[in-house]
Amino acid sequence: MGREAPARLLLARIHPSRPFSQLRRLHRLSPSHRPLPAAPSLPRYRKPSLLPCTPVHFASTASTTEAPSIVKRLKNLFFGTSIVFTLWFGYLYVTDARAGIHQWAVVPSLRWIYDDPEEAHEAGTEWLKGLYSWGIHPRERRGDEHGDLSIEVFGHTLLNPIGTSAGIDKHATIPSPLFALGPAIVELGGCTPHPQPGNPRPRVFRLPSQHALINRYGLNSDGADTLAMRLRQRLREFAYASGLGVGDDAEQAVLDGAAGVPGGSLVKGKLLAVQVAKNSATPDADMEAVKADYVYCVNALARYADIIVVNVSSPNTPGLRGLQAAEPLTEILTAVVEAAKKAEKRDPPRVMVKVSPDEDAEEQVRGICNAVWESGVDGVVVGNTTKRRRDLFPVGTLLPAREAALLAEHGGFSGPQLFGHTVALVRRYRGVLDEGPDGDDKAEENATGAAARGREEREQQLSGDLKERIQATVERDKKHLKPDAPAVTAASTSQPLIQIPDRNKPLSNDAPCDPNASILSLDHHANQLPPSPSPSSSPSPSSRKIIFATGGITTGKEALEVLEAGASVAQVYTALIYTGVGTVSRIKREMREEMRVRREEGRGGGHESS
């Protein structure tokens, strides 16, 4: 290597136009060959001439380079603008709840990735929560600005009559993203006083061919205190964003209406419901412990809810449905109503009870309605999952073998197959609730009897002297009364304040039927006295009870049908699981289309407000 380096330099000077490899082959240079020949003499150095050099002018390239530069800039601008517009319109499309990608891509992908429906549900919940934190969550863009679906519920004007049922957000992690999808009612829970895991997994099963589910969650819950903490944090963040500050004073200001929104939903025209239940470990026979469970939940959550829903109808908690009997239900609801009234906010939450679709016997329906009236509950949520498996599908329906086997799984069934029963049950509850409690007739009879007894007592209390004076007055009036002229009698069309029998009219030309009968007797005077109020008489209902309907509602036409049956709000659950985040928007669009068709056909198209 030491001898080869000078050889490179030498040959490069001799043959500057040839590469060294060719020169090496040409001269057969190698470290093992003969020594290199003596280097030729180098040319002598010459001092450069000081004569001025003639400048060499090249052709100008300004015109040829300027045009490509402009084209390149235009291309860059076009591609950059295209990228910006693509991202912008992609953002608008993906964040629109009505976009088809949510139903036809997102939902099938979750079902394909997660074989367990519960895992798919949890993944979807986490995605919604994360997207909402970045502001790129799906939302309803053009929803209820026209007010054509508004409805009055509990003194609030709701934007629409659609809600989401409990079970979609069990742990109060995504109430705000759910409100963004368009419902006017979002129901959280069910929530138990203390955390409990629920039933073992797997506990949720899909029946895709029927768009149905079977679940046996068993009221898995993080506990009332954890849910209250999350709702409180949400409330305080809203207070800070609204410029009301931080801390307890800001929180109380929102609850007292300073922000102009309900204290639970934090959205104008919408309400937040929280469902409460007892722990599965609480003995059903210990009524005091059962009531304590419900009251504990109410005390923790009432400040942050607009509606408290008492769940006594879950099919997956042993013994819970037994609490729907009239006597224990009345005790539970009375305790819950009293606790809700103590909530430290301007508008305490309203109380509703959620009943089972399987408790549909006449005496069961009337017993529940009587408990509602006696306890002061504000309404009923009609419907839940059903334990029944008979008559769910039309005759001749063939299910895939796997789904047919799943029907044997223990748990509550939900799906569009429940809709017919839901409508019928809503109609029955509406009729019974509008009749009032069964005790009204008896109370009226008691009041009438008490009034009669009161008159008798007052008559007995009259002293003998007073009786004589009254009788003397009657006789004096009898002697001095003159018969009325026929013209006056014919012209008189007014109704007297006290109706006197014809036979006892002193101004009549007709003689009394009984000449010995007194015209105005002591009994008659006593009868004109106002009856004393009876303590046993119950006051008449001051307001109509509200009904929320849930169970099998999947289309706008079905929502209208259940509203016309007497419900004020139609809640969805399984439909949202199968058709994605655009379900509420689709149902409302279908409702408007159905109402328009009815108006065109002259059948009307309004829904009932309560």
Side-chain angles (χ1 to χ4, degrees), residues 102-418:
H102 299 299
Q103 179 178 357
W104 306 112
V106 176
V107 173
S109 298
L110 286 173
R111 288 165 52 186
W112 180 74
I113 296 173
Y114 301 97
D115 186 61
D116 185 356
E118 186 174 0
E119 293 180 358
H121 186 95
E122 292 172 347
T125 299
E126 289 299 321
W127 271 98
L128 271 180
K129 181 180 178 181
L131 293 175
Y132 186 84
S133 65
W134 288 94
I136 53 177
H137 58 287
R139 67 204 73 180
E140 185 180 55
R141 298 196 180 279
R142 292 178 297 175
D144 307 306
E145 63 273 8
H146 300 299
D148 53 347
L149 295 179
S150 61
I151 190 170
E152 191 80 8
V153 173
F154 297 140
H156 298 270
T157 301
L158 301 187
L159 295 176
N160 61 78
I162 305 300
T164 60
S165 295
I168 294 176
D169 186 11
K170 282 180 168 291
H171 310 303
T173 55
I174 53 170
S176 296
L178 287 180
F179 275 120
L181 301 180
I185 300 285
V186 169
E187 185 179 348
L188 307 179
C191 174
T192 56
H194 308 290
Q196 65 179 24
N199 293 321
R201 298 193 185 195
R203 51 194 178 187
V204 187
F205 310 94
R206 300 189 191 103
L207 282 73
S209 68
Q210 304 299 317
H211 282 199
L213 290 173
I214 296 175
N215 86 80
R216 52 169 181 259
Y217 278 111
L219 287 173
N220 56 309
S221 173
D222 289 344
D225 294 332
T226 301
L227 264 69
M229 177 190 67
R230 291 170 182 158
L231 294 177
R232 182 185 186 189
Q233 179 65 24
R234 174 175 175 264
L235 176 62
R236 294 202 170 195
E237 290 176 357
F238 175 83
Y240 179 76
S242 301
L244 298 175
V246 296
D248 296 338
D249 293 338
E251 176 184 336
Q252 191 63 44
V254 176
L255 295 175
D256 291 339
V261 296
S265 68
L266 307 179
V267 182
K268 189 174 182 180
K270 301 187 177 184
L271 298 176
L272 180 71
V274 179
Q275 183 186 116
V276 298
K278 75 176 189 69
N279 279 111
S280 57
T282 304
D284 302 321
D286 189 350
M287 187 51 57
E288 292 302 321
V290 171
K291 290 192 295 184
D293 272 12
Y294 284 100
V295 170
Y296 186 95
C297 293
V298 174
N299 291 338
L301 297 165
R303 280 174 57 84
Y304 312 110
D306 303 310
I307 303 171
I308 295 293
V309 179
V310 180
N311 184 0
V312 290
S313 60
S314 172
N316 303 310
T317 302
L320 186 63
R321 287 192 171 184
L323 300 178
Q324 293 180 104
E327 184 176 351
L329 182 60
T330 302
E331 293 187 36
I332 294 171
L333 295 181
T334 301
V336 170
V337 169
E338 292 176 356
K341 290 179 179 178
K342 298 177 183 178
E344 297 178 356
K345 57 190 300 189
R346 186 186 66 180
D347 299 321
R350 299 302 185 99
V351 178
M352 304 184 74
V353 57
K354 188 165 188 174
V355 298
S356 166
D358 299 337
E359 311 296 325
D360 55 358
E362 184 65 22
E363 61 273 12
Q364 292 173 324
V365 172
R366 289 196 172 273
I368 292 173
C369 291
N370 286 334
V372 168
W373 282 113
E374 292 179 19
S375 62
V377 165
D378 300 289
V380 180
V381 180
V382 177
N384 204 329
T385 56
T386 178
K387 298 175 69 174
R388 297 174 179 174
R389 296 294 187 268
R390 296 181 58 185
D391 302 328
L392 286 177
F393 308 103
V395 178
T397 302
L398 296 178
L399 297 178
R402 182 174 181 271
E403 295 182 15
L406 289 177
L407 285 177
E409 291 286 350
H410 172 72
F413 180 95
S414 64
Q417 295 76 16
L418 301 183

Side-chain angles (χ1 to χ4, degrees), residues 396-526:
T397 302
L398 296 178
L399 297 178
R402 182 174 181 271
E403 295 182 15
L406 289 177
L407 285 177
E409 291 286 350
H410 172 72
F413 180 95
S414 64
Q417 295 76 16
L418 301 183
F419 175 71
H421 186 61
T422 299
V423 173
L425 202 56
V426 167
R427 193 171 286 114
R428 290 178 60 190
Y429 270 96
R430 179 77 281 160
V432 176
L433 287 173
D434 288 348
E435 291 176 4
D438 286 344
D440 278 355
D441 296 338
K442 295 180 180 179
E444 186 176 353
E445 294 176 1
N446 293 336
T448 304
R453 289 191 298 271
R455 288 193 299 269
E456 294 175 359
E457 292 175 359
R458 287 194 299 273
E459 183 178 351
Q460 293 175 359
Q461 291 174 358
L462 292 175
S463 64
D465 185 48
L466 181 59
K467 289 182 180 181
E468 293 178 358
R469 290 200 302 267
I470 292 177
Q471 190 65 31
T473 303
V474 170
E475 294 296 335
R476 185 183 68 247
D477 292 341
K478 180 179 178 181
K479 294 178 180 180
H480 293 85
L481 288 175
K482 297 180 180 180
D484 196 5
V488 176
T489 304
S492 177
T493 57
S494 60
Q495 178 71 23
L497 293 179
I498 300 177
Q499 185 66 35
I500 301 176
D502 292 338
R503 67 179 182 86
N504 288 333
K505 282 186 178 180
L507 303 182
S508 175
N509 293 328
D510 299 333
C513 297
D514 184 4
N516 298 323
S518 174
I519 297 176
L520 295 175
S521 65
L522 181 63
D523 292 338
H524 183 83
H525 282 281

Side-chain angles (χ1 to χ4, degrees), residues 53-69:
C53 299
T54 303
V56 179
H57 296 279
F58 297 95
S60 176
T61 59
S63 60
T64 59
T65 58
E66 184 176 0
S69 176

